């Protein structure tokens, strides 16, 4: 039997998250089209340039066409091409758009192309009366008492300063104000690709949403350990997964595992050890973006997955034999809902699995259907690290043997999973994960390490 000190388990989880939260800073960040990221303090954005101050107090003037996305943690004034003015913080979402979190209007979704100018709120509010009230009320209440139509925009705020223009390049910063001797030098090339998009907010939670013709190759290693009474089970699994964007909203996936499994009988009277190696059950699936996130609704993704019994099926005449597959076809449908509240995102959803009956050694086995759900939270530490923690469970009905229900065969495993996604380059990242069971029906623990390459 598993004896779990739940208080100790959740205390450790809380400590881990507090440590990671302490690493999070509220610095602004610019994400360029070539994959570079610059941290510091945002100043303003004009139709052609972005002014940005680095931690070393260097002032950069970045060509706007080189910018892919912003992360501005303090309130700013956003002027749209339509003439509207909004106040809030700007954060990117996983589909290349921007979320504007406004105290007054909630969360709005914007394209960078819709934004004409961005100004720092503190510099924009020039009225002394407004500044006095702002100091008394606090920044969060500015929108409530001072509508956008009453705010005065300084005419010179978005004008190009007569300073040296700096172009950001992959190898560093270069002064592009040329002298007569420098005019013959070759100008730096424009960096990035105009159609590049970012997917860094919630990498690979429960579904993968890629744009059309984008692909991801996943190489994964996993170790599983489980023990109940006098039986111990170990498994090493190497798997390959290919994710592809069929359209901007429809994705497909194929996964194939190669498994080594060992089963031990720990009885003193009858010690036995058996193992097996080979291909496990293959899975294929589709996921479709049903609804994009906005200020009222979460993002909703529907998924349809099928398990193909390509692994060795169970042997009912030899219970000591180790199987590498379930021996059953099954179909799983699920919904995943995601709602972003920078720098975290809440997610969850239900799922239903139907398992087809199969005959083994003349006995028809029909596993019961299962209904499950999951919920969790993802924390975006920065553009390179995302932490995810989630609770997963399902209830499976009793199994039937030749149409007769096997009493006590219903299961309700409960699992807690924590993983970290680390982007070490624009198209490459690793994702270590740890899962542990919360009751006897679940496995004891599983440790997994995945490498993902996007192309």
């Amino acid at each position: 039997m598993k004896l779990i000190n739940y208080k100790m388990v959740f205390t450790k989880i809380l400590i881990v998250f507090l440590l990671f939260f302490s690493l999070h800073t509220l610095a602004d960040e610019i994400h360029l089209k070539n994959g570079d990221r610059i941290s510091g303090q945002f100043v303003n954005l004009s139709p052609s340039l972005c002014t940005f101050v680095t931690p070393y107090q260097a002032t950069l003037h970045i060509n706007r066409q080189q910018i892919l996305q912003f992360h501005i943690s303090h309130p700013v004034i956003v002027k749209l091409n339509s003439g509207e003015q909004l106040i809030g913080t700007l954060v990117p979402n996983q589909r290349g758009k921007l979320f504007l979190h406004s105290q007054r209007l909630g969360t709005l979704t914007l394209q960078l192309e819709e934004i004409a100018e961005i100004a720092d709120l503190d510099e924009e509010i020039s009225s002394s009366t407004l500044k006095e009230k702002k100091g008394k009320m606090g920044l969060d209440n500015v929108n409530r008492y001072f509508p956008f139509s009453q705010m005065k925009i300084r005419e010179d705020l978005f004008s190009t300063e007569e300073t040296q223009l700096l172009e950001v390049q992959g190898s560093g910063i270069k002064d592009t104000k040329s002298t007569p001797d420098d005019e013959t030098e070759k100008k730096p090339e424009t960096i990035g690709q105009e159609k590049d998009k970012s997917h860094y907010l919630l990498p690979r939670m429960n579904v993968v949403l890629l744009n059309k013709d984008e692909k991801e190759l996943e190489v994964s290693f996993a170790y599983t350990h489980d023990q109940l009474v006098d039986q111990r089970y170990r498994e090493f699994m190497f798997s390959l997964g290919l994710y592809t964007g069929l359209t901007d909203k429809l994705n497909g996936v194929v996964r194939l595992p190669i498994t080594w499994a060992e089963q031990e009988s720990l009885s003193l009277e009858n010690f036995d050890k058996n193992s097996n190696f080979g291909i496990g059950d293959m899975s294929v699936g589709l996921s479709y973006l049903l609804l994009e996130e906005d200020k009222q609704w979460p993002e909703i993704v529907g998924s349809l997955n099928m398990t193909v019994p390509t692994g060795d099926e169970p042997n009912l005449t030899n219970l000591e034999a180790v199987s590498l597959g379930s021996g059953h076809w099954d179909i799983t449908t699920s919904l995943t809902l995601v709602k972003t509240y920078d720098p975290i995102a809440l997610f969850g959803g239900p799922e239903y699995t139907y398992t087809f009956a199969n005959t083994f050694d003349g006995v028809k086995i029909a596993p019961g259907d299962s209904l499950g759900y999951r919920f969790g939270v993802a924390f975006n530490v920065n553009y390179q690290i995302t932490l995810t923690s989630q609770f997963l469970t399902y209830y499976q009905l009793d199994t039937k043997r030749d149409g007769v229900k096997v009493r006590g065969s219903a299961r309700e495993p409960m699992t807690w999973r924590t993983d970290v996604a680390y982007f070490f380059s624009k198209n490459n990242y690793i994702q270590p994960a740890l899962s542990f069971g919360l009751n006897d029906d679940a496995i004891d623990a599983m440790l997994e390490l995945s490498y993902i390459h996007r192309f």
Side-chain angles (χ1 to χ4, degrees):
M1 297 290 292
K2 297 177 188 170
L3 297 177
I4 297 177
N5 188 329
Y6 291 97
K7 184 177 181 180
M8 180 178 294
V9 169
F10 287 102
T11 299
K12 291 180 179 179
I13 294 172
L14 179 61
I15 291 174
V16 170
F17 269 88
L18 288 177
L19 288 174
F20 278 109
F21 268 92
S22 66
L23 298 175
H24 181 62
T25 63
L26 295 178
D28 302 329
E29 197 164 45
I30 293 180
H31 185 199
L32 302 179
K33 292 181 178 179
N34 71 338
D36 289 346
R37 302 173 190 87
I38 305 173
S39 297
Q41 182 178 356
F42 174 86
V43 179
N44 63 55
L45 176 73
S46 74
S48 59
L49 293 174
C50 174
T51 304
F52 202 80
V53 178
T54 71
Y56 305 102
Q57 300 304 311
T59 300
L60 308 181
H61 300 278
I62 304 170
N63 190 326
R64 176 168 175 161
Q65 293 183 352
Q66 299 171 355
I67 297 173
L68 182 64
Q69 285 188 328
F70 288 102
H71 187 291
I72 304 177
S73 57
H74 62 280
V76 292
I77 298 177
V78 179
K79 182 177 180 181
L80 304 181
N81 294 325
S82 61
E84 296 177 276
Q85 297 181 87
L86 309 172
I87 294 180
T89 60
L90 286 172
V91 296
N93 75 352
Q94 67 269 32
R95 299 192 60 80
K97 298 181 180 180
L98 291 169
F99 286 145
L100 185 139
H101 298 301
S102 169
Q103 179 76 12
R104 182 183 181 186
L105 302 177
T107 300
L108 305 177
T109 302
L110 301 173
Q111 296 275 12
L112 184 57
E113 294 76 14
E114 297 176 305
I115 299 175
E117 302 168 338
I118 303 176
D120 186 86
L121 180 61
D122 289 333
E123 296 187 12
E124 241 348 72
I125 303 175
S126 57
S127 169
S128 59
T129 303
L130 180 58
K131 287 185 177 180
E132 181 181 352
K133 290 186 179 242
K134 174 183 157 187
K136 293 179 180 179
M137 296 183 298
L139 191 58
D140 290 340
N141 295 318
V142 170
N143 291 349
R144 185 183 308 169
Y145 294 95
F146 297 93
F148 303 134
S149 59
Q150 298 178 11
M151 303 189 67
K152 231 175 142 185
I153 301 296
R154 262 191 7 232
E155 294 180 356
D156 64 333
L157 184 66
F158 294 105
S159 61
T160 303
E161 301 178 18
E162 295 181 359
T163 57
Q164 295 179 345
L165 298 183
L166 299 177
E167 290 236 350
V168 179
Q169 303 196 42
S171 58
I173 309 299
K174 181 176 180 180
D175 185 351
T176 59
K177 185 175 181 180
S178 60
T179 63
D181 294 334
D182 297 329
E183 291 181 355
T184 57
E185 292 185 6
K186 182 179 180 181
K187 292 185 178 180
E189 296 180 0
T190 301
I191 59 178
Q193 298 178 2
E194 294 183 2
K195 295 184 179 181
D196 195 10
K197 293 187 178 181
S198 174
H199 300 262
Y200 290 107
L201 184 60
L202 295 171
R204 304 179 65 79
M205 290 192 324
N206 299 295
V207 293
V208 177
L209 286 179
L210 302 172
N211 290 327
K212 183 178 180 180
D213 297 329
E214 284 187 331
K215 296 179 176 61
E216 281 189 344
L217 176 65
E218 178 186 35
V219 180
S220 178
F221 300 89
Y223 170 70
T224 302
H225 179 277
D226 193 26
Q227 181 172 334
L228 281 174
V229 192
D230 60 352
Q231 292 284 334
R232 177 185 294 154
Y233 180 81
R234 295 189 184 92
E235 179 183 276
F236 288 93
M237 184 174 66
F238 166 80
S239 63
L240 291 174
L242 178 63
Y243 302 80
T244 181
L246 303 176
T247 70
D248 285 343
K249 292 188 175 183
L250 179 65
N251 287 186
V253 58
V254 178
R255 301 186 192 93
L256 180 64
I258 299 175
T259 305
W260 177 87
E262 179 185 75
Q263 182 175 296
E264 286 182 306
S265 175
L266 304 180
S267 173
L268 296 177
E269 297 80 12
N270 184 26
F271 178 82
D272 191 21
K273 180 186 292 188
N274 296 279
S275 63
N276 196 0
F277 174 77
I279 296 176
D281 287 349
M282 182 176 72
S283 61
V284 296
L286 295 171
S287 60
Y288 184 76
L289 180 63
L290 299 173
L291 181 67
E292 291 195 31
E293 181 178 1
D294 58 28
K295 67 178 182 179
Q296 293 183 333
W297 296 96
E299 179 172 289
I300 302 178
V301 178
S303 298
L304 178 65
N305 294 279
M306 176 181 293
T307 300
V308 182
T310 52
D312 291 343
E313 61 186 32
N315 188 341
L316 299 185
T317 61
N318 181 12
L319 299 181
E320 301 298 329
V322 180
S323 63
L324 300 178
S326 66
H328 297 273
W329 292 75
D330 68 50
I331 295 178
T332 299
T333 59
S334 65
L335 287 177
T336 300
L337 290 76
V338 182
K339 187 63 176 174
T340 306
Y341 304 94
D342 180 57
I344 68 170
L346 305 178
F347 63 92
E351 67 175 36
Y352 170 77
T353 301
Y354 176 80
T355 304
F356 295 86
N358 196 7
T359 301
F360 306 101
D361 303 313
V363 180
K364 185 178 181 180
I365 304 296
D369 300 346
S370 64
L371 180 65
Y373 63 90
R374 63 191 179 277
F375 62 85
V377 59
F379 171 52
N380 228 33
V381 178
N382 51 43
Y383 276 100
Q384 287 184 283
I385 299 177
T386 298
L387 308 178
T388 305
S389 192
Q390 58 180 310
F391 172 78
L392 308 96
T393 188
Y394 63 87
Y395 182 80
Q396 185 176 22
L397 300 175
D398 288 321
T399 299
K400 294 182 179 180
R401 294 170 62 99
D402 287 334
V404 179
K405 184 182 297 184
V406 179
R407 294 183 178 275
S409 58
R411 302 169 60 243
E412 191 177 6
M414 299 180 181
T415 304
W416 190 275
R417 175 186 170 98
T418 301
D419 63 272
V420 180
Y422 172 67
F423 291 82
F424 55 88
S425 70
K426 180 182 178 183
N427 296 315
N428 298 275
Y429 61 99
I430 58 174
Q431 188 170 352
L434 175 63
S435 303
F436 51 90
L438 301 178
N439 61 1
D440 287 344
D441 288 342
I443 61 172
D444 287 342
M446 182 175 73
L447 181 63
E448 185 177 3
L449 177 63
S450 300
Y451 163 73
I452 298 96
H453 172 68
R454 180 170 292 169
F455 56 96

